[in-house]
Amino acid sequence: MWNRPILSIILVSISCFLSCSSEKDICNLSSEEAISEIEKIEILLNDNSPYMNINNVRVKKALDIFIDNLNEKDKISKNEFSNKLKSVLAELGDRHFLLEYQGECNKEIKYYLPFSVAPWEGDKAIALIKKPKITFSYFLDNYPLLISINDQEIESFLKENDPENKHAPNLSKQALGIEKLNEFHKIKSGFNVDDKIKFTFSSMDSKSDTTMVLSLTESKNKWRDVNSFLSYSEGNEKINSLLFKKYENEVAYIKIPEMYSYSKDEDFFKWLNQKMDTVRDSNALILDLRNNSGGNRDLIDFFSKYFIAPNKNVIGNLSRYRGNVSQDTKEGLQSRNLFAYDVFKDDESKQAIDSFSQIFKPAVGIDEKLYSEYYYMVMSNKDNGNSHYFNYPVYIMTNEMTFSAASVFASSFKYLDNINIVGVSTDGASGMKKTYELPNSEIRITMSHMLSYQKDGELFDGTGTAPDIEIKRSVDQILGLEDFQLKKLLEIINSTEQ
């Protein structure tokens, strides 16, 4: 018969063992649990994701391979599970897709390269050192190009370690991968500060190279494009003056750093109205949307009253929602200026839609029964007394980091007679995202719920909007010494005016 002290010790030991085992398993999933989570996610995607509908084959193939790998092991950490699942679901091609592990087992160790990195032509990267006033110099004067990390070429390294952007437009894929190189812990796990890594650098003509073994550092060294740090600041004229300029030959310039909202950014629109009034007699207008990551579509509506000819209605964008359209969904679409055909009561809008529909051909086939009717964004010159039609040249500057609503802006005004898109192709994305929680794996998933079409029938996601006039960065722009793209555009405008 057990005496009380011994029995108490045994019970405490058992309790401690069970508690310790429980704590240990908090960070892991059994293979069966992980596969069960994948099945839940598959149902979620099949029921809600338009990208699962159009890219089902490649997504299912990637999921099957992942499940086969899980069947070969007993368990997997939640952190590893989320990272691998993130790579697998990149096959959706949904540029708004986001998968995040929300648990407490992800102890992120931050480490950085001992230099900053900028994207360069042909999937190349330039290694830099930051100097005062957001300028840069070459990390190695005679070998400015970073060509490999631990003997793996940069293009291959990015392809392997940044699968999330696998189906982004090419220039965006390169830029976003190199953006992660600037925060090295985000693209390559398993290292610590002071760990040694082998880097190979090349001359600009790629005729000679050198190799160095360097330590990772705890200090962030990040490259930033010229003026990418600017943002409107209420009441700060010193900062805001950098967003508006007038150049020779009456060429006006306005930088739009974010896609602002009427309701949240009232002061910005007041400022913008004033600036638009001062450029009434300009010979040309430049709108700079480079490095604009998106937000609200209100700026599309705002500029419609300047860029759309009087008494003319133009289709800027159209979308189809995946699934039933609830009242909340309808309000979400309307907040993007997207409306069903029968909502339009004026003959002009209906005629514009009818004419457009006769020539519109979607580039991607879909299962029609899974989607709503089309929702249209119709742009028109709604003169409120403060606006005026600009019948002179307008140039919208974009780059590979022009994203979401900013990309929709460029696409919406493209093909109008007096408007040119300038720079490089955008990172197109437009999807009306929603978020879901998976408690067991502690994963949060954000995904798009609509297919959003450009006027030429192409989707935004994975395609972007191509420029009418292509201008790429110069080395001096990379170094922060000049805005080459803007300078070149001004030269083109002035030569055209003469």
Side-chain angles (χ1 to χ4, degrees):
M1 185 172 179
W2 296 103
N3 61 41
R4 286 182 180 274
I6 293 175
L7 183 61
S8 296
I9 292 171
I10 291 172
L11 290 173
V12 169
S13 298
I14 292 172
S15 175
C16 179
F17 173 78
L18 292 174
S19 173
C20 292
S21 298
S22 176
E23 288 180 11
K24 181 180 179 182
D25 288 335
I26 286 174
C27 297
N28 296 303
L29 295 169
S30 68
S31 59
E32 291 81 6
E33 288 175 321
I35 292 169
S36 176
E37 290 294 277
I38 291 174
E39 290 170 350
K40 292 174 189 174
I41 292 169
E42 241 186 304
I43 292 171
L44 190 65
L45 293 173
N46 284 326
D47 288 347
N48 299 281
S49 170
Y51 295 92
M52 186 64 166
N53 173 229
I54 61 177
N55 296 317
N56 181 277
V57 173
R58 72 187 191 199
V59 176
K60 191 71 171 66
K61 180 180 178 181
L63 284 172
D64 287 344
I65 292 171
F66 188 27
I67 290 171
D68 287 343
N69 291 335
L70 286 170
N71 279 321
E72 295 176 358
K73 56 178 68 178
D74 295 327
K75 62 182 179 180
I76 185 171
S77 74
K78 291 180 179 179
N79 192 39
E80 182 184 359
F81 177 71
S82 65
N83 285 334
K84 289 188 174 180
L85 191 56
K86 190 184 302 184
S87 300
V88 167
L89 295 180
E91 295 294 348
L92 284 166
D94 178 354
R95 301 292 299 125
H96 275 109
F97 185 85
L98 184 65
L99 187 151
E100 301 170 288
Y101 170 62
Q102 301 294 305
E104 298 179 357
C105 301
N106 184 11
K107 296 180 180 179
E108 186 180 47
I109 301 172
K110 295 185 178 181
Y111 44 82
Y112 306 90
L113 300 181
F115 47 81
S116 59
V117 193
W120 187 235
E121 297 174 352
D123 294 317
K124 296 177 182 176
I126 297 180
L128 304 161
I129 290 292
K130 188 175 180 181
K131 297 172 68 177
K133 297 182 179 179
I134 316 183
T135 58
F136 299 84
S137 61
Y138 292 144
F139 179 64
L140 297 176
D141 288 339
N142 296 323
Y143 305 96
L145 298 180
L146 174 65
I147 61 172
S148 72
I149 298 175
N150 282 343
D151 294 323
Q152 187 173 10
E153 292 184 355
I154 288 298
E155 184 178 0
S156 171
F157 183 90
L158 295 179
K159 183 176 181 180
E160 178 182 320
N161 295 292
D162 184 31
E164 292 172 86
N165 294 305
K166 179 178 181 180
H167 296 292
N170 287 334
L171 289 178
S172 299
K173 178 165 55 180
Q174 178 205 16
L176 291 165
I178 288 175
E179 175 94 353
K180 286 185 180 179
L181 281 184
N182 282 292
E183 298 184 74
F184 197 63
H185 63 279
K186 289 186 177 180
I187 197 168
K188 191 71 174 176
S189 61
F191 289 97
N192 290 286
V193 172
D194 294 329
D195 280 355
K196 305 286 186 183
I197 290 188
K198 180 181 177 182
F199 300 97
T200 302
F201 303 90
S202 173
S203 59
M204 196 59 89
D205 61 8
S206 300
K207 291 183 177 179
S208 59
D209 56 54
T210 187
T211 297
M212 301 177 70
V213 176
L214 303 169
S215 299
L216 295 174
T217 176
E218 61 183 0
S219 301
K220 184 190 293 188
N221 301 285
K222 189 171 184 178
W223 173 77
R224 302 182 81 171
D225 198 4
V226 290
N227 295 334
S228 62
F229 53 88
L230 292 177
S231 185
Y232 176 78
S233 178
E234 184 176 347
N236 191 332
E237 283 307 312
K238 183 177 180 180
I239 294 295
N240 297 339
S241 65
L242 299 175
L243 303 178
F244 175 81
K245 297 177 183 178
K246 279 191 174 181
Y247 293 95
E248 62 179 334
N249 295 329
E250 292 299 319
V251 178
Y253 167 91
I254 301 176
K255 182 170 181 62
I256 308 292
E258 301 172 35
M259 294 299 287
Y260 295 102
S261 161
Y262 283 138
S263 60
K264 296 179 181 178
D265 306 290
E266 186 178 344
D267 191 71
F268 172 79
F269 282 93
K270 181 180 177 181
W271 174 87
L272 186 59
N273 263 314
Q274 293 171 346
K275 298 307 176 187
M276 293 301 289
D277 194 52
T278 67
V279 302
R280 187 183 292 265
D281 298 320
S282 298
N283 291 323
L285 173 65
I286 299 170
L287 286 183
D288 190 350
L289 270 70
R290 291 173 298 170
N291 304 299
N292 185 320
S293 60
N296 194 280
R297 293 191 181 192
D298 286 346
L299 277 163
I300 300 175
D301 176 71
F302 177 88
F303 280 104
S304 291
K305 63 191 180 187
Y306 296 99
F307 297 165
I308 306 297
N311 304 315
K312 186 175 182 180
N313 290 45
V314 175
I315 310 303
N317 166 230
L318 63 163
S319 302
R320 298 186 75 173
Y321 190 79
R322 173 73 168 81
N324 296 322
V325 179
S326 66
Q327 184 58 37
D328 285 346
T329 298
K330 193 175 294 185
E331 290 173 2
L333 289 163
Q334 291 174 355
S335 72
R336 292 163 172 79
N337 297 321
L338 291 165
F339 300 89
Y341 182 84
D342 60 7
V343 173
F344 295 96
K345 303 305 180 186
D346 60 300
D347 291 338
E348 294 81 8
S349 293
K350 289 188 174 182
Q351 288 171 6
I353 295 172
D354 291 340
S355 298
F356 177 82
S357 298
Q358 289 177 12
I359 59 173
F360 176 74
K361 293 182 180 179
V364 176
I366 61 172
D367 185 344
E368 293 282 338
K369 67 178 181 291
L370 299 178
Y371 293 84
S372 72
E373 62 185 308
Y374 281 107
Y375 281 71
Y376 301 90
M377 183 174 74
V378 179
M379 306 187 302
S380 61
N381 189 327
K382 302 171 187 174
D383 192 350
N384 60 7
N386 296 322
S387 60
H388 53 276
Y389 172 54
F390 281 27
N391 58 356
Y392 52 76
V394 175
Y395 300 87
I396 299 173
M397 299 189 72
T398 63
N399 67 3
E400 69 276 32
M401 303 298 274
T402 303
F403 185 68
S404 196
S407 184
V408 176
F409 185 108
S411 174
S412 297
F413 291 110
K414 188 178 172 70
Y415 304 122
L416 296 186
D417 291 341
N418 60 324
I419 292 181
N420 283 290
I421 312 300
V422 182
V424 300
S425 190
T426 67
D427 183 2
S430 176
M432 196 171 175
K433 60 188 179 183
K434 288 185 181 179
T435 298
Y436 302 86
E437 306 275 353
L438 280 78
N440 193 38
S441 55
E442 298 179 280
I443 283 174
R444 176 185 294 164
I445 288 178
T446 300
M447 63 182 179
S448 297
H449 283 65
M450 72 176 184
L451 290 180
S452 191
Y453 297 92
Q454 302 185 67
K455 289 179 284 189
D456 61 1
E458 293 287 350
L459 294 174
F460 280 93
D461 291 58
T463 305
T465 301
D468 303 303
I469 304 171
E470 186 177 59
I471 305 176
K472 296 181 179 180
R473 296 183 189 91
S474 66
V475 169
D476 279 347
Q477 182 168 331
I478 295 286
L479 298 176
L481 302 177
E482 67 169 357
D483 188 340
F484 174 79
Q485 290 171 305
L486 176 59
K487 180 181 175 182
K488 186 67 176 176
L489 174 56
L490 288 168
E491 290 175 2
I492 292 171
I493 294 171
N494 289 329
S495 65
T496 303
E497 292 294 318
Q498 292 174 357

